[in-house]
Amino acid sequence: GAGVSQSPSNKVTEKGKDVELRCDPISGHTALYWYRQSLGQGLEFLIYFQGNSAPDKSGLPSDRFSAERTGGSVSTLTIQRTQQEDSAVYLCASSLVGIAYEQYFGPGTRLTVT
Amino acid sequence: QQQVKQSPQSLIVQKGGISIINCAYENTAFDYFPWYQQFPGKGPALLIAIRPDVSEKKEGRFTISFNKSAKQFSLHIMDSQPGDSATYFCAATEYFGNEKLTFGTGTRLTIIP
């Protein structure tokens, strides 16, 4: 079946602009995660959605970052007033609830802020 | 207390050799330890995982060794091949608890002919 998809694959934006990154999880996966991976760095947890529960936003680095998940499926990560330090690959993952150790990752969106 | 420390940051191994990547954790609530493999331009993918009720788990050329008392675990890649060249992340989570993975910082493995 189809895996996790993300769009766009690459995004170049000017400093100060807002961007939206999209994630389509695997059908039936009610848990969805966003991570940030800076060049050559590890995976930084951003936010976690589990079913209809309130999202875990503990990893969002500032109030310029927000995310929503509509209808328990597609998720959008929004970064307002982008800064150069926001340049990174943004990864989305999904899993079945209760099986967080088996996350399926999308290919990521490479964001470059000029 | 949520950290997972991973070493080395990068590793170069000759083809046919053994690649060893080490991780250590602090949170004693962690009880499930997966390893993820990431190729350039791709998202990470689950490679192998272990629970602390066993000291070792083997899948093909990949083996996880686990030392509960030392709170350490490691990935061994036997007969390393150029196709194993990738970045490897260890991770930890609570099997029946917190629905998040805590990742190590990653190891870039290069297998040379």
Side-chain angles (χ1 to χ4, degrees), chain B residues 36-94:
Chain B
Y36 281 75
Q37 179 188 53
Q38 183 180 29
F39 293 106
K42 305 289 186 182
L46 179 64
L47 180 64
I48 187 173
I50 194 170
R51 293 197 67 180
D53 52 347
V54 297
S55 60
E56 184 175 284
K57 182 173 182 179
K58 183 176 180 179
E59 290 185 3
R61 296 183 294 107
F62 299 89
T63 299
I64 302 178
S65 297
F66 187 84
N67 185 330
K68 187 174 182 178
S69 61
K71 291 188 287 186
Q72 295 175 347
F73 57 110
S74 60
L75 177 69
H76 296 232
I77 306 174
M78 313 300 288
D79 186 26
S80 300
Q81 298 298 312
D84 298 330
S85 296
T87 299
Y88 292 82
F89 293 95
C90 62
T93 189
E94 298 172 41

Side-chain angles (χ1 to χ4, degrees), chain A residues 13 17 19 30 36 65 81 99 104:
Chain A
T13 189
K17 301 283 189 182
V19 294
T30 53
R36 179 168 69 177
F65 288 73
R81 306 180 303 281
I99 314 182
Y104 292 83

Side-chain angles (χ1 to χ4, degrees), chain A residues 37-95:
Chain A
Q37 186 173 30
S38 301
L39 186 62
Q41 299 300 307
L43 296 161
E44 177 187 5
F45 165 78
L46 297 177
I47 189 169
Y48 160 53
F49 295 89
Q50 178 184 336
N52 295 321
S53 302
D56 179 344
K57 305 178 181 180
S58 60
L60 294 178
S62 77
D63 58 7
R64 296 186 296 105
F65 288 73
S66 63
E68 64 176 20
R69 189 176 185 190
T70 54
S73 181
V74 172
S75 177
T76 302
L77 177 69
T78 300
I79 308 174
Q80 295 179 313
R81 306 180 303 281
T82 52
Q83 303 295 312
Q84 287 187 331
E85 59 263 29
D86 299 334
S87 295
V89 174
Y90 290 81
L91 291 160
C92 174
S94 70
S95 75

